[in-house]
Amino acid sequence: MSLIEHGGESDMVHHWSRDAWASVRANEPVTVAVYLAHGFELLALSSALDVFRLANKAAAREAFRWRTVSHWGEAVRASCGIVVAADADLAQERRYLQQLERPALALICGDEPDEGRETKVLSAWLRECRQRRIAIGGFGSGVAALAKAGMLNDRKCAIHWEELPAFKERFMRVEAAATVYEVDNDIWTCAGGTAAFDMLVELVKLNCGEPVAVNVGELAVAGRVRTGDERQRLPLLRQHGRINPTVVKLIELMQRNLATPLTMADLAAAAGLSRRQVERLFRNDLGRSPCRYFRELRLEHAKLLLAQSSMPVLEIAVSCGFVSASHFSRCFRETHQIAPHEARNLSAGRYLGV
């Protein structure tokens, strides 16, 4: 993927006055190195690169340039099967760190298998980038590569909601959240997918100014650009209309207390309402009681841990607030029509759909 060609783009019509454009900082191009691991998510990559392309178009200059990198310089197959060529191998990229071509930002798209040589070399490159004060970031599973390199210890990061339970168990020093994206000390992380678009529009705003960032959203026909602290989802709600803010607040409280289930008295006190009022809000908005919703939330958390971790069933039961493995197994079977140990033996695709 070579640098963007600008043919004809300088003639586009912008939506701001000359005074607004005069305030945009005319910096040197920001060079971005994007590392591709096999099985990376194409949607995240294309979302990111199109932000850079559209920023160049909106700014009518080369605000960003980028190159793709793989371990050996080989073409890399995405999870959807499409193969993407690499511009450089990791050895060359490490040499760039001492040259004018060094990047201002290194982004990791996908994660290498654990304990392999690729992981060790990738971690070494990331540490070198930090030593040279180069910003780093990751999309989706690429965030795990940053964590394995020790880059996220005692820092905030965004993780895809489906991967969050296992990630928290594995990297206990990392402050992981199911937000759209996080930026902590020049470390940019997002959940993957279209969250890469939202995150990098913020990068464009920092480097090119808000008018360019807004124009990128318009050119991409984005309904709106999300802020980093927005939730990726409200769990267990497949289709819903407007949710009462008090219900959202209580759901977030439940998510923070999965291991120590809250009582109706706790929920009512947190909302500043009576038990009956809290019950009515949940039944009106979600069609079930707060207690039932909380149990479903804990069981979903357990389902993700069973699929993504090797934790014993008893530990999963305790971490999800069940008093015993037998109680957990009974509740899990009632909800999913399958026992926890049987679910773990299924393939991930079949299991997550139970």
Side-chain angles (χ1 to χ4, degrees):
M1 296 187 183
S2 58
L3 301 183
I4 183 171
E5 296 178 1
H6 296 284
E9 292 184 350
S10 60
D11 298 329
M12 65 173 292
V13 176
H14 298 293
H15 300 281
W16 291 275
S17 67
R18 289 184 180 275
D19 290 340
W21 283 105
S23 66
V24 176
R25 296 184 296 276
N27 295 335
E28 289 294 314
V30 174
T31 299
V32 183
V34 185
Y35 182 86
L36 305 179
H38 288 277
F40 73 90
E41 184 187 12
L42 186 62
L43 178 57
L45 176 67
S46 60
S47 296
L49 297 187
D50 251 12
V51 169
F52 299 146
R53 179 183 68 84
L54 293 174
N56 288 351
K57 184 175 183 178
R61 65 181 178 88
E62 189 185 44
F64 293 89
R65 60 178 62 161
W66 58 91
R67 56 180 175 260
T68 52
V69 183
S70 65
H71 185 81
W72 301 109
E74 78 282 18
V76 184
R77 187 177 298 276
S79 58
C80 65
I82 290 178
V83 177
V84 176
D87 299 316
D89 60 26
L90 202 49
Q92 177 63 62
E93 195 59 42
R94 293 179 73 176
R95 290 193 291 272
Y96 280 151
L97 294 179
Q98 303 176 37
Q99 302 171 12
L100 292 176
E101 295 89 348
R102 80 177 195 168
L105 172 64
L107 291 175
I108 311 302
C109 195
D111 187 23
E112 297 288 1
D114 289 347
E115 306 305 326
R117 181 177 184 277
E118 293 87 350
T119 293
K120 295 177 181 177
V121 177
L122 177 58
S123 294
W125 176 54
L126 289 170
R127 285 191 285 268
E128 287 182 67
C129 287
R130 292 302 285 169
Q131 289 169 2
R132 296 178 180 276
R133 298 187 178 182
I134 294 171
I136 60 175
F139 309 140
S141 63
V143 180
L146 303 182
K148 286 191 287 189
M151 300 290 98
L152 297 178
N153 290 344
D154 305 316
R155 301 207 177 280
K156 293 180 179 179
C157 73
I159 295 294
H160 192 285
W161 63 266
E162 193 175 59
E163 307 292 335
L164 185 61
F167 186 94
K168 282 189 169 183
E169 292 294 333
R170 182 178 181 187
F171 303 108
M172 302 188 72
R173 288 188 58 186
V174 180
E175 189 178 339
T179 48
V180 175
Y181 66 86
E182 295 284 348
V183 185
D184 189 339
N185 192 34
D186 269 345
I187 300 178
W188 299 68
T189 58
C190 75
T194 57
F197 180 91
D198 302 296
M199 181 175 77
L200 292 176
V201 167
E202 178 66 19
L203 180 70
V204 170
K205 180 180 175 181
L206 290 177
N207 284 275
C208 303
E210 187 168 6
V212 175
V214 172
N215 203 191
V216 167
E218 291 179 338
L219 290 168
V221 200
R224 71 183 186 92
V225 177
R226 294 171 291 180
T227 59
D229 58 356
E230 291 188 48
R231 294 178 302 276
Q232 295 171 24
R233 68 193 279 261
L234 281 176
L236 307 179
L237 304 181
R238 300 295 177 258
Q239 294 180 344
H240 58 83
R242 187 176 180 84
I243 301 296
N244 187 290
T246 299
V247 174
V248 173
K249 175 185 174 182
L250 292 177
I251 290 174
E252 292 172 341
L253 182 64
M254 291 175 179
Q255 288 181 291
R256 294 194 298 269
N257 292 274
L258 294 174
T260 53
L262 303 170
T263 64
M264 277 300 303
D266 295 327
L267 296 174
L273 301 172
S274 69
R275 290 187 178 189
R276 184 170 296 180
Q277 287 173 313
V278 172
E279 285 269 2
R280 187 181 302 117
L281 284 175
F282 268 76
R283 291 196 181 279
N284 287 345
D285 283 12
L286 307 180
R288 59 253 218 209
S289 71
C291 292
R292 179 183 167 189
Y293 180 86
F294 199 7
R295 190 178 81 157
E296 291 176 356
L297 195 63
R298 289 152 52 212
L299 287 170
E300 186 198 48
H301 187 75
K303 182 173 75 168
L304 295 173
L305 284 175
L306 283 167
Q308 299 165 4
S309 78
S310 58
M311 291 174 62
V313 171
L314 177 58
E315 287 186 22
I316 291 176
V318 171
S319 69
C320 296
F322 293 92
V323 296
S324 66
S326 59
H327 179 221
F328 166 60
S329 295
R330 183 170 64 254
C331 293
F332 192 91
R333 185 184 287 276
E334 287 175 358
T335 300
H336 297 303
Q337 290 77 53
I338 190 171
H341 70 276
E342 294 172 330
R344 175 165 267 170
N345 292 331
L346 295 177
S347 65
R350 287 185 59 200
Y351 169 64
L352 290 175
V354 298

